[in-house]
Amino acid sequence: MVTFPGSLDDGDARRAVGLAGAEAVALWHGDHDLRGVDAVILPGGFSYGDYLRSGAIARFAPVMAEVVAAARGGMPVLGICNGFQVLCESHLLPGALIRNHHRKFVCRDQRLKIENASTSWTHDYVTGEEVTLVLKNGEGAYVADLATLDRLEGEGLVVARYLGDDPNGSMRAIAGITTERGNVVGLMPHPEHAVDSLCGPGTGGLPFFTSVLQSLAASAPAASAGTPPPQGPPPLQGHSSGRELVL
Amino acid sequence: MTETQTRQLDTVAHAQEHPDVAQPWAELGLKSDEEAHLREILGRRPTSSELAMYSVMWSEHCSYKSSKVHLRRFGEQVTDAMRKHLMVGIGENAGVVDIGQGYAVTFKVESHNHPSYIEPYQGAATGVGGIVRDILSMGARPVAVMDALRFGPLEAPDTQRVLPGVVAGVGGYGNCLGLPNIGGETVFDPSYAGNPLVNALCVGVMRHEDIHLANASGTGNQIILYGATTGGDGIGGVSILASEAFDTQGSARRPSVQVGDPFMEKLLIECTLEVFAEHLVAGIQDLGGAGLSCATSELASAGDGGMHVWLDRVPLRDESLAPEEILMSESQERMMAVVEPAHVSRFLEICAKWDVDATVIGEVTDTGRLVIEWYGDTVVDVPPRTVASEGPVYERPFARPIWQDSLQAGDASTLPRPTTGEGLRATVLQLVASPNLCDKSWITNQYDRYVQGNTVLAQPEDAGILRVDEQSGLGIAVSTDCNGRFAKLDPFTGAQLALAESYRNVATAGARPLAVTDCLNFGSPEDPDVMWQFAEATRGLSQGCEALGIPVTGGNVSFYNQTGAEPILPTPVVGVLGVIDDVTRRTPIGFTTEGQQIYLLGTTRDELSGSEWAHVAHGHLGGLPPVVDLEMEAQLADLLINASRDGLIDAAHDLADGGLAQALVESCLRYDVGARVWLPDELDPFVALFSESTARVIVAVPRSEEVRFTDMCAARRFPHVRMGVTDGRGDDAVLEVQECFSVSLAELRAAWSATLPTAFDD
Amino acid sequence: MPRVIVEVMPKPGILDPQGKAVLGAMPRLGFGGVVDVRQGKRFELELAEEVTEDQLAQVRQVAEALLSNPVIEDYTVRVEAS
Amino acid sequence: MPRVIVEVMPKPGILDPQGKAVLGAMPRLGFGGVVDVRQGKRFELELAEEVTEDQLAQVRQVAEALLSNPVIEDYTVRVEAS
Ligand SMILES: Nc1ncnc2c1ncn2[C@@H]1O[C@H](COP(=O)(O)OP(=O)(O)O)[C@@H](O)[C@H]1O
Ligand SMILES: [Mg+2]
């Protein structure tokens, strides 16, 4: 879990990771290594205040060099909201996120359709599944040139799309995209705010955090899978889990 | 430094040698008797720096000189019952309340009205920033904000300018700090045209042992200024000093608007909490209105009484600032800490980690004087208490306005009322679409209510609820309310009605009310009519708090809210804080399940004077406001808290503006669940639907709990009547008032939700 | 097409958090020669017809009322050489 | 002090919600002669020393990497005549 100065939803994402049964490891923007984590989440917020362009300055944080290298090497990386913006600014994902078409910050419960349930972060969904997550952003309109959009569509790299009326002016209602390998996902809405129905609109976001456990378990070499797979649903606290995953 | 050096610096020595220099007292807002008093204190004329400090600290805004005598009531009427949960009372940056399990909560509401009129975005943003620093300086982690807003008529051109800016500013700052916005109010009335109100509330949480107070004790302790650099923000007024006394170059054009940097504030919060956690701080104060003048004099007068400051060490954004201007600057995102010498280096280290500038600018002394030096010359040498706490106090004359009787005589009973089902139906639709009752999500959707993941209830609920402890489920609830029309009809009752509504909202959500904060927005205190309104409102509020057994822990007074001779409606905004042992037991307003019984609790009378109906349908304001019965409010609160704890009710919504009709509509629209209701036989349907009698709520009771629930009401002899059932959901759901009318939720929603988007979206 | 440029910059002395953020990021990119950065806005207005004095006066009004906030910003208007 | 100006504008074809809003508001202000508006950013960089070719090249790098996002924006760099 990378915290930049100005990150805000890192605590929530940490909670979600715990609920999914993994352990969250705090990474600071100035870190020069990833401390052996198995996957990285770039949380929401306003990194460095985001006065210039969302994610523009965070991209140059020392830790991002490590994240980019790890992502290119296949490590699962999820960028949520500001994290998505950072991934685009870092050119790990194509396109850009610009000011919402209505020029206001928007915070609302948002219905989405999961378009690709085969990425590292969406395994536990079914393609076509509809979920409600929290959407909150000021610069959330996804834009790219036509060739890029067509390529994303053609190769099935659109991960999620907005349903209902247009919340921010994203082209083709794109809410999230992934890379060819499916390990890097950028998502505008916040799955970490939809993991317990007391403080969010249901639990529709939890599969993002459980999916990555599955994909890591599946791809883990036999040697590192020394602990037996867990029985039954994951426990609420990460440490007692049989899974060795560290986020 | 060039410009300032070429000026003749007005040092203390210079002031002694040149007693007869003309100084711009009047322009700085000091009265001639205040001038005389000041000379008496100092035994000479003040230097221009001293004059800057006194003029701003003795201003209405900082000294409470007109309100002090009335505010004393809040402190005097604290009973043992109130004291039970009170850890820090009125007079500190913010009061602190014990909520149990070792947690303490601090909360306060503050106005930023005038700056928000001049520059809506920055005015509102820095209003949020200021109240957040207040809470932070108590040692607490800020956990949520709320905003109580008042604007002129929705369609007025100036509202089109002010409202979007204010809302974007509240959101822009709070969102960037990662503080969920959990509620507030938005009210429109012609009296606020040209004088909008922006009242911002912040809540903070800490452990009991973490409370910090603003005082500078311990001779030799170091004074550290940290945060943003100091610029020429907010010093429009004092620039006269620098320019008139010295030269006419430059400084007179200094901006009087403050610009906020929420990212800096976020760093300031994290950095401050870290220095608290390491116990490096002996005293702390935020810099708000009156900047360094206020922080240095308040810290010094609350401590050992002496402080020496090297003003030239203050890091500047604008090197041309004169000492007077530095003392007055209201640059945002700054704090001042008193730190033992041994802790200074660690303190600075933590600041550096967070990229926060920190500078030792002074130290605590035992001289009993606040001495400020500028490149070796003394420019200020004063007893700090005379600046901070012993300013002038006025017993402003007040008198019941001559128009009050005729206002109260012209009540709403003569206004034509709808009598047919069709007429009632049309009135419901008209009211739900009216600016004060319509859907506020155009506003609240610009606020992040989810961040931190502890928001259990937020807008459009009766109260915001936050989880404080994830393990135990301990939480807090906050609501802010005020009906200015009621306060105009009768300020004493109006203030109690504001308190009653806020108290009821907290209890309706399932929490036990514990404490009160208030923001008293009024016109000019020099107008005896206004002063009477103020005196009555404070009297009403303090007596109300006594009756309910909850103390006022802090607040803010904003005077001079008027356009020309026309003051705003008296607007004593009341915020109530409550505690809830288990947030999973909170009661939301929305009907969720079909087939539940709807009960109306409380007594309905023909009370329509000052109502939303009179306002919307007839543009009428006259008569007496609804009767307040605080005894009933307390009983109702107790009933609701117990019903929620025992799981007897699934939804509850208090009846306020717009009466029963509005409450039903809101409960139905929340989750698109319809209702079939019948009105009590003994009441005229119009009165039943639109009266604004107090101490009433509607609740939804699952059939399985109905007997227990009614037994509970009966045992407490609380008036309750079954008046309907939840029925139908989704697209075909309707609100049916039997023998009157039926209206589909779709039609209601269309009317209710279109108003703000139509007004503000291009 | 004739084009008028309106440039809006924060007034001197007014805090400019955006410029400050950029200035703070420069050294991280290895660029040390900058001592101050101010960030403002730039508007390109395409006009239907050739720019008259009259129109320019109108643009100035728009710049004052809409494009800038005179309390905290200054603006300049100029016709772009085409 | 020597000053370099960087101007960043949305690429043609890229949605510019702010420019669009300004364009939409113009007629309401009684100004009808504008057919298009684009809104971009303007940076004023104050350099410590006189601007060398080398420094200008560096500023161009900063403009490319930080001040603009080449996916959606174009930039220009110029030295301000002092
Ligand atoms: N400016 C605002 N900021 C935040 N919340 C607001 C604002 N205006 C209204 N709300 C929310 O909208 C809902 C309806 O407001 P209101 O009718 O005043 O409620 P009530 O009468 O119960 O106090 C409440 O949840 C309130 O907190
Ligand atoms: Mg209410």
Side-chain angles (χ1 to χ4, degrees):
Chain A
M1 184 73 48
V2 179
T3 299
F4 301 99
S7 290
L8 303 176
D9 299 304
D10 44 339
D12 299 70
R14 214 174 294 135
R15 187 185 289 120
V17 165
L19 283 172
E23 184 195 347
V25 173
L27 297 175
W28 184 235
H29 69 128
D31 287 353
H32 288 275
D33 78 285
L34 298 182
R35 305 193 184 185
V37 298
D38 298 313
V40 171
I41 296 179
L42 305 177
F46 294 82
S47 50
Y48 304 92
D50 271 350
Y51 295 122
L52 174 61
R53 254 183 353 269
S54 300
I57 293 180
R59 170 201 166 190
F60 293 103
V63 74
M64 280 311 295
E66 309 300 320
V67 172
V68 169
R72 297 234 154 91
M75 181 183 283
V77 175
L78 173 64
I80 304 169
C81 193
N82 193 222
F84 186 10
Q85 293 159 339
V86 175
L87 291 177
C88 286
E89 285 283 342
S90 308
H91 310 303
L92 275 175
L93 291 172
L97 292 142
I98 66 168
R99 195 91 191 273
N100 296 344
H101 68 307
H102 45 70
R103 305 181 325 284
K104 299 189 297 283
F105 188 91
V106 59
C107 171
R108 70 182 208 190
D109 300 352
Q110 178 66 44
R111 308 224 358 101
L112 299 176
K113 188 163 160 200
I114 302 294
E115 299 275 7
N116 178 343
S118 58
T119 76
S120 302
W121 299 90
T122 53
H123 270 307
D124 286 354
Y125 290 102
V126 180
T127 298
E129 191 173 338
E130 295 187 5
V131 293
T132 299
L133 304 184
V134 170
L135 182 71
K136 42 171 210 171
N137 60 65
E139 298 186 3
Y142 183 75
V143 297
D145 57 43
L146 283 182
T148 304
L149 288 173
D150 289 342
R151 183 176 67 81
L152 288 173
E153 302 275 6
E155 297 176 16
L157 303 182
V158 174
V159 173
R161 239 185 268 273
Y162 300 115
L163 293 173
D165 62 323
D166 182 358
N168 54 19
S170 290
M171 291 175 129
R172 307 201 187 167
I174 289 174
I177 56 173
T178 185
T179 47
E180 288 79 355
R181 292 171 71 167
N183 63 316
V184 179
V185 169
L187 187 71
M188 240 322 127
H190 293 255
E192 79 281 16
H193 288 314
V195 294
D196 103 52
S197 24
L198 184 67
C199 298
T203 55
L206 200 54
F208 273 93
F209 304 96
T210 54
S211 294
V212 71
L213 295 179
Q214 304 283 356
S215 46
L216 284 167
S219 67
S224 74
T227 40
Q231 303 297 311
L236 287 188
Q237 294 304 313
H239 294 278
S240 54
S241 164
R243 291 163 173 159
E244 286 292 271
L245 176 84
V246 174
L247 276 163
Chain B
M1 240 270 28
T2 51
E3 220 182 308
T4 31
Q5 265 176 346
T6 57
R7 289 180 191 141
Q8 166 64 58
L9 187 66
D10 194 20
T11 62
V12 169
H14 184 258
Q16 268 155 350
E17 283 159 29
H18 303 272
D20 297 322
V21 173
Q23 290 178 297
W25 305 91
E27 289 88 336
L28 292 169
L30 285 173
K31 301 275 154 38
S32 56
D33 52 335
E34 292 172 347
E35 167 194 353
H37 183 45
L38 177 43
R39 279 178 188 266
E40 200 180 304
I41 291 171
L42 298 178
R44 57 174 163 80
R45 78 161 171 88
T47 66
S48 58
S49 295
E50 289 165 344
L51 182 54
M53 289 184 79
Y54 279 100
S55 69
V56 64
M57 289 301 291
W58 286 7
S59 71
E60 188 64 58
H61 180 64
C62 292
S63 73
Y64 292 84
K65 57 189 170 190
S66 305
S67 53
K68 233 178 200 163
V69 293
H70 301 280
L71 296 179
R72 284 195 185 124
R73 286 205 178 90
F74 295 141
E76 284 159 11
Q77 298 205 348
V78 176
T79 61
D80 285 343
M82 296 177 175
R83 222 167 271 127
K84 208 166 107 202
H85 302 285
L86 195 59
M87 301 183 72
V88 174
I90 214 161
E92 282 293 334
N93 281 321
V96 181
V97 182
D98 176 14
I99 61 160
Q101 297 179 18
Y103 287 103
V105 170
T106 175
F107 79 133
K108 188 178 171 189
V109 57
E110 201 162 78
S111 67
H112 223 218
N113 303 339
H114 296 121
S116 302
Y117 179 64
I118 299 169
E119 210 317 276
Y121 184 96
Q122 295 296 345
T126 54
V128 172
I131 191 66
V132 167
R133 285 192 302 281
D134 250 326
I135 293 305
L136 179 63
S137 65
M138 294 306 296
R141 174 175 279 281
V143 293
V145 294
M146 299 175 83
D147 57 317
L149 310 177
R150 301 289 184 285
F151 302 102
L154 180 59
E155 58 288 351
D158 208 45
T159 304
Q160 297 286 322
R161 172 186 74 98
V162 174
L163 185 145
V166 164
V167 169
V170 169
Y173 207 98
N175 295 346
C176 196
L177 288 186
L179 294 179
N181 184 308
I182 60 167
E185 304 170 82
T186 311
V187 178
F188 301 87
D189 184 273
S191 77
Y192 304 112
N195 203 121
L197 304 185
V198 175
N199 292 181
L201 183 150
C202 180
V203 196
V205 174
M206 66 196 125
R207 302 295 299 172
H208 284 177
E209 60 274 18
D210 293 337
I211 297 176
H212 278 76
L213 300 179
N215 58 50
S217 307
T219 299
N221 282 352
Q222 302 290 293
I223 307 296
I224 300 180
L225 178 67
Y226 66 110
T229 49
T230 298
D233 314 56
I235 55 173
V238 83
S239 290
I240 325 169
L241 262 180
S243 55
E244 271 203 13
F246 305 105
D247 65 45
T248 48
Q249 262 284 304
S251 44
R253 281 178 281 109
R254 298 228 193 269
S256 61
V257 172
Q258 308 133 34
V259 172
D261 179 352
F263 175 58
M264 184 71 223
E265 180 117 329
K266 168 75 178 160
L267 298 180
L268 205 55
I269 293 174
E270 300 305 333
C271 170
T272 301
L273 291 171
E274 200 167 321
V275 296
F276 282 154
E278 294 197 16
H279 306 288
L280 304 177
V281 179
I284 193 150
Q285 171 86 325
D286 58 301
L287 273 77
L292 279 167
S293 297
C294 180
T296 52
S297 61
E298 286 195 351
L299 275 175
S301 45
D304 294 353
M307 191 187 284
H308 192 104
V309 174
W310 292 276
L311 196 60
D312 45 86
R313 294 192 189 169
V314 173
L316 299 180
R317 200 168 72 229
D318 174 353
E319 292 296 331
S320 73
L321 290 179
E324 305 79 339
E325 294 175 315
I326 298 170
L327 283 168
M328 297 275 298
S329 163
E330 298 192 345
S331 285
Q332 299 291 298
E333 293 95 20
R334 296 179 300 163
M335 302 276 285
M336 183 173 279
V338 182
V339 179
E340 283 176 28
H343 293 323
V344 168
S345 66
R346 179 64 189 142
F347 187 103
L348 298 179
E349 223 171 86
I350 293 176
C351 289
K353 167 184 162 193
W354 288 102
D355 253 333
V356 168
D357 285 337
T359 314
V360 175
I361 65 156
E363 66 183 32
V364 178
T365 64
D366 56 7
T367 60
R369 312 276 301 177
L370 171 60
V371 176
I372 299 181
E373 214 177 277
W374 179 251
Y375 291 102
D377 287 314
T378 301
V379 292
V380 172
D381 183 352
V382 299
R385 282 194 189 84
T386 62
V387 185
S389 47
E390 292 163 6
V393 173
Y394 292 129
E395 300 260 4
R396 299 250 188 225
F398 57 86
R400 191 168 198 272
I402 43 170
W403 43 260
Q404 197 75 32
D405 283 337
S406 61
L407 180 70
Q408 293 183 346
D411 70 20
S413 63
T414 55
L415 304 174
R417 301 174 167 194
T419 49
T420 63
E422 199 40 49
L424 292 167
R425 185 180 190 280
T427 305
V428 170
L429 285 164
Q430 182 189 16
L431 281 182
V432 301
S434 69
N436 290 339
L437 298 183
C438 70
D439 178 14
K440 300 298 187 302
S441 56
W442 188 91
I443 292 170
T444 56
N445 280 358
Q446 296 185 51
Y447 304 154
D448 185 345
R449 59 183 175 278
Y450 285 112
V451 63
Q452 305 305 333
N454 288 312
T455 307
V456 176
L457 294 181
Q459 49 273 10
E461 299 288 339
D462 278 335
I465 289 196
L466 280 184
R467 180 172 60 188
V468 168
D469 189 291
E470 267 187 67
Q471 253 63 52
S472 68
L474 179 71
I476 51 174
V478 193
S479 173
T480 72
D481 289 284
C482 178
N483 184 323
R485 290 195 312 273
F486 290 166
K488 171 125 187 206
L489 295 179
D490 178 353
F492 178 91
T493 308
Q496 293 200 339
L497 284 162
L499 171 68
E501 184 178 351
S502 197
Y503 177 91
R504 191 186 325 124
N505 276 325
V506 163
T508 305
R512 178 167 302 283
L514 282 188
V516 172
T517 180
D518 62 72
C519 192
L520 305 172
N521 306 273
F522 288 78
S524 166
E526 294 161 42
D527 176 346
D529 291 358
V530 170
M531 213 47 223
W532 175 80
Q533 294 173 330
F534 183 78
E536 284 293 289
T538 47
R539 201 166 62 83
L541 185 56
S542 70
Q543 286 184 20
C545 288
E546 195 178 0
L548 293 173
I550 52 175
V552 174
T553 62
N556 177 237
V557 176
S558 173
F559 277 131
Y560 298 102
N561 292 291
Q562 50 187 68
T563 314
E566 205 43 54
I568 59 163
L569 294 178
T571 313
V573 169
V574 176
V576 169
L577 172 87
V579 63
I580 177 165
D581 296 337
D582 176 4
V583 289
T584 62
R585 296 248 69 108
R586 86 284 184 206
T587 314
I589 64 167
F591 299 145
T592 51
T593 314
E594 291 182 67
Q596 297 198 334
Q597 304 295 334
I598 301 171
Y599 275 81
L600 171 63
L601 308 182
T603 307
T604 306
R605 301 179 206 87
D606 186 337
E607 294 181 302
L608 284 129
S609 293
S611 68
E612 210 57 48
W613 168 76
H615 176 66
V616 172
H618 297 284
H620 177 270
L621 179 59
L624 286 172
V627 170
V628 207
D629 186 339
L630 296 172
E631 179 94 14
M632 284 288 273
E633 297 284 3
Q635 284 177 25
L636 175 61
D638 212 51
L639 182 99
L640 288 164
I641 295 161
N642 281 302
S644 119
R645 205 188 42 215
D646 295 350
L648 305 184
I649 52 180
D650 273 8
H653 194 8
D654 92 301
L655 271 53
D657 324 60
L660 173 65
Q662 181 71 16
L664 283 169
V665 170
E666 289 174 357
S667 291
C668 287
L669 288 183
R670 187 80 174 101
Y671 301 112
D672 268 332
V673 171
R676 197 155 30 84
V677 302
W678 41 91
L679 300 175
D681 286 340
E682 67 281 7
L683 278 180
D684 168 61
F686 167 79
V687 172
L689 285 169
F690 300 107
S691 164
E692 296 186 5
S693 295
T694 61
R696 298 184 304 158
V697 299
I698 50 170
V699 295
V701 184
R703 281 188 199 278
S704 57
E705 307 300 332
E706 194 175 357
V707 175
R708 283 173 70 204
F709 179 74
T710 52
D711 282 354
M712 182 187 227
C713 295
R716 293 159 182 257
R717 296 213 183 77
F718 201 88
H720 60 288
V721 51
R722 190 167 74 96
M723 55 152 325
V725 56
T726 56
D727 187 20
R729 70 159 59 240
D731 289 345
D732 322 312
V734 299
L735 170 61
E736 183 188 345
V737 180
Q738 286 189 350
E739 291 166 32
C740 276
F741 63 86
S742 164
V743 54
S744 73
L745 298 195
E747 190 177 357
L748 284 169
R749 181 176 298 283
W752 180 66
S753 58
T755 309
L756 293 186
T758 306
F760 295 112
D761 282 340
D762 31 51
Chain C
M1 234 182 287
R3 193 184 265 181
V4 180
I5 308 294
V6 180
E7 291 168 351
V8 176
M9 296 300 292
K11 274 201 162 78
I14 281 278
L15 179 70
D16 171 20
Q18 304 154 80
K20 222 177 80 190
V22 171
L23 182 64
M26 295 246 169
R28 254 172 280 148
L29 274 105
F31 187 49
V34 180
V35 294
D36 195 23
V37 178
R38 313 238 355 122
Q39 178 177 339
K41 296 177 196 139
R42 182 171 191 276
F43 299 88
E44 295 181 0
L45 278 58
E46 310 241 350
L47 303 196
E49 287 152 57
E50 224 173 295
V51 192
T52 62
E53 255 318 304
D54 206 44
Q55 270 181 317
L56 218 52
Q58 275 196 305
V59 172
R60 265 187 216 104
Q61 267 177 26
V62 172
E64 172 101 27
L66 180 71
L67 305 183
S68 77
N69 178 346
V71 184
I72 50 175
E73 294 167 329
D74 293 326
Y75 67 87
T76 61
V77 172
R78 64 190 159 77
V79 183
E80 194 174 61
S82 48
Chain D
M1 237 180 284
R3 194 184 263 180
V4 179
I5 309 293
V6 179
E7 291 168 352
V8 174
M9 297 300 293
K11 272 203 161 75
I14 285 282
L15 185 72
D16 171 19
Q18 299 161 113
K20 223 177 82 195
V22 171
L23 183 65
M26 295 247 169
R28 256 174 283 147
L29 278 146
F31 187 47
V34 180
V35 293
D36 194 23
V37 178
R38 315 241 353 122
Q39 177 175 339
K41 296 176 192 142
R42 181 172 191 275
F43 301 87
E44 294 181 359
L45 279 55
E46 310 239 351
L47 302 195
E49 285 151 58
E50 226 171 294
V51 192
T52 60
E53 256 318 306
D54 205 45
Q55 270 181 317
L56 219 52
Q58 275 198 306
V59 172
R60 266 190 215 102
Q61 267 179 26
V62 171
E64 170 101 27
L66 177 71
L67 302 181
S68 75
N69 177 345
V71 179
I72 47 172
E73 294 163 328
D74 293 325
Y75 68 89
T76 61
V77 172
R78 63 189 160 78
V79 182
E80 194 174 61
S82 49

